[in-house]
Amino acid sequence: MKSIVLSLMLVIGVGLPANGRAEILTFKEWKLQQILEAQRYGQTVKKQLKQQNHNRRLRRIVASSRPQKSTESLVAEPTQGDLVMETLELQSQQAEANIRTSQSLGIQDYFEIYLHQQPDSKRAFEEISEKLTNSEMAELLLAYSRHLSDDR
């Protein structure tokens, strides 16, 4: 499940410093970036959901002020707005799952998702080796060791 949610999470780019090369993020920076992006997405979906709820209430007010022509019109079929609401509710649930997943990211995820996909792996590992704490480096080496054993 975690891999599915991770694959659905939005990926944001890393800015380029003045020398034109992308700076490699530390584990803490990367995890914070993932959490913030998941939260931003969740906030966006919630705003859309709130707006859609507001629009739905307005449509109901307008519809209730019109005289009913027959009893058949009392049975409401799903409208486009209902379908949009359903989609937004599903996206909201997914956003909440993305936030929980991003908060539970570990050093192995950092290795497999972020470091492993860097175009210049050697440079990435050289740069990151200078930034990680001893504990983070030990965890990263453990994740690398697990990755190697999984490949066999």
Side-chain angles (χ1 to χ4, degrees), residues 22 43-44 46 58 69 73-74 85 96 98 104 108 113 124 133 147:
Q43 290 169 349
T44 300
K46 284 182 182 178
L58 288 177
K69 294 183 180 183
S73 62
L74 294 176
M85 282 293 292
E96 290 298 320
N98 288 351
S104 71
Q108 186 163 350
I113 297 168
T133 65
H147 179 74

Side-chain angles (χ1 to χ4, degrees), residues 18-33:
N19 66 8
R21 290 180 10 180
E23 184 177 331
I24 303 301
L25 301 175
T26 65
F27 167 66
K28 289 177 183 175
E29 293 167 337
W30 174 77
K31 182 174 178 175
L32 179 61
Q33 184 184 57

Side-chain angles (χ1 to χ4, degrees), residues 2-4 9 19 24 27 35 48-49 69 72-73 78 83 92 96 101 105 116 119 136 138 141-143:
K2 188 174 182 179
S3 62
I4 294 171
M9 289 177 66
N19 66 8
I24 303 301
F27 167 66
I35 292 169
Q48 292 172 343
L49 196 53
K69 294 183 180 183
E72 290 177 19
S73 62
L83 297 175
S92 180
E96 290 298 320
T101 300
L105 290 169
H116 190 57
E136 288 173 329
L141 289 171
L142 247 143

